[in-house]
Structures are given as structure tokens and as C-alpha cells.
Amino acid sequence: MSKIGALISRDVRMITRDGFLFFLLGYGFVVALVLRGVVAVLPFETLSLYLAPAVPFIGGMLVGTVFGLALVEEREVRTALLLRVSPLSGRHLALYLGGATLLLAFVSGGIGAWLYGQPVVRPGLFVACLLAGAFGAPLLMVFLGAVASNKIEAMAIGKAAGIVTSVPGLLFVLPDALWWTLAWSPWTWLYLGLLDSFTPGGRLADLAITIPDLPDVVWPIVPVALMVPASLGLLRRYRRQVV
């Protein structure tokens, strides 16, 4: 535990000393509050509901970006990300980083959703999808670490990766029968599951998009099944680069 505590202390110091990284972690909360204020004054009744599932994505992506930038910086200055200097093995270090980003993304997404204020009508489904969505943070972290060669490039790639989380927006223009063409994106499943968790049952038929009639367990399980193998593959690529 002392080894884990040392790593946590190191990461906390790194983030708090770097004003930009600290700002990124809190930026999702600012966006949630701004969106809450905007939808309150716009004359669109369902806009708040449609935006609500996207709010937790923001915090998770920002957590992944912060830790991804840290990985890139470690490699840039040739410290090899603690893989050589850490008291933990490479496997345990990977578990720590993945667990830390997942936990922070889960908490950040939950706080963002709370600040946004859309009532949750199905708490169990909401928490399951929120936890599944948190797996996107480790995925983005190792993606940036494995692909970006410097922090500037990592920022550009991170912004491009953010576009991928916007894929569910296409559900509003695709015919209902073609929703499955977006099934390759974990965020399609997460968006639909979270939307279901926010929407009172009697209003599902009134939505501008159709939520497919699938078992609730599908919404969180499929994204995890898509993201975990991708994260492990990118982690192996990153470790080959730094060891």
C-alpha cells in the first residue's frame, strides 16, 4: 500500500503543480454548469434530456487526456513512465494507472451529471453506464501515450478523439432502422443507455430517436467489451516504445 500511496502522491503533485492539467480536470464541471444554464433559457423542452447523456463523457475524456499527456511527457523526457523507476512491476503499474483513471473518470462523470441536474429515473442503469463509460479514460490515456510523439501532438489527437464521442449525434439524422451502423462506437451504446436512464418510461416513444428494445445489461456490457481489448492492445504498443 505504501508503494501505491507513493504513486498517488506523485500524481497528485504532478497535476496540482501543472496549472493546465489541473484546469483540464475541472473544465468538465464548468461545461456542465454552462450547459445547464444554456438549456434553462432556450425554448426547447427536450434539449436538456438529449444533452444529459453526453455530460458524463466530458469528464471522462478530460481525465484520460490529463493522464495521457503525462505519459507522453514521461516519454519525452526519457524517464520511461516509471516502468524503470517504479517500485511496482510493469503489470502492477499498468493496473494502477488504469484503475486510477477509471475511478477518477467515474467520479468526474458523476459530478458532472449532478451539476448538470437532469433527474435520473433509473439509477441502476445510470450507474452501470457511468461506470462503463469510465473505461474510456484508460483507453484515451494509452491511446495518446502510444500514438502521440509529443504533448502538442497529443493535444491535437485528444481533440480529434473527442469527435469520436460525438458519434451518437448521428442517431438524430439516421433512420431508426440504421442505428446499428454506429454500433462500432462504445459511446453509441453508452448514450442510448444513459438516455434511457434519464427518460421517464412514458416519454420514450416521444423522443426524436428510438432506443432499441434490448436488455438493460447490453448498454454497459458492450462498451466495456469494445474498450478493454483496445486498451490492452495500445498498452502493449506503448510498453514496447518505452522499455
Side-chain angles (χ1 to χ4, degrees), residues 1 14 17 39 53 67-68 85 91 105 116 176 218 225 236:
M1 291 298 295
M14 174 195 69
R17 288 176 180 175
V39 299
F67 278 83
V85 301
R91 178 176 298 180
Y116 183 71
D176 293 342
V218 170
R236 287 193 291 268

Side-chain angles (χ1 to χ4, degrees), residues 33-87:
L33 289 172
V34 170
L35 288 176
R36 178 175 181 167
V38 169
V39 299
V41 299
L42 292 178
F44 302 106
E45 181 182 357
T46 54
L47 181 60
S48 177
L49 177 63
Y50 292 143
L51 289 178
V55 172
F57 298 170
I58 300 170
M61 294 298 289
L62 289 171
V63 170
T65 299
V66 167
F67 278 83
L69 288 171
L71 291 191
V72 173
E73 183 176 4
E74 295 270 1
R75 193 178 68 228
E76 271 192 288
V77 299
R78 302 183 184 277
T79 57
L81 177 67
L82 299 173
L83 284 176
R84 296 182 180 180
V85 301
S86 170

Side-chain angles (χ1 to χ4, degrees), residues 106-169:
F106 177 75
V107 172
S108 180
I111 293 175
W114 174 70
L115 291 173
Y116 183 71
Q118 183 69 27
V120 175
V121 298
R122 304 184 65 190
L125 180 59
F126 171 76
V127 172
C129 289
L130 189 66
L131 180 59
F135 279 84
L139 174 60
L140 180 57
M141 175 186 67
V142 293
F143 177 68
L144 295 179
V147 175
S149 58
N150 54 64
K151 290 181 71 174
I152 295 177
E153 187 175 314
M155 285 296 298
I157 294 173
K159 290 179 180 179
I163 297 175
V164 178
T165 64
S166 303
V167 166

Side-chain angles (χ1 to χ4, degrees), residues 12 18 23 31 35 37 46 56 72 89 92 96 120-122 131 149 158 161 171 183 187 195 203 234:
V12 169
D18 190 320
F23 165 77
V31 172
L35 288 176
T46 54
V72 173
S89 67
H92 289 146
Y96 160 74
V120 175
V121 298
R122 304 184 65 190
L131 180 59
S149 58
L171 291 167
W187 289 276
L195 183 62
R203 294 185 59 192
L234 289 165

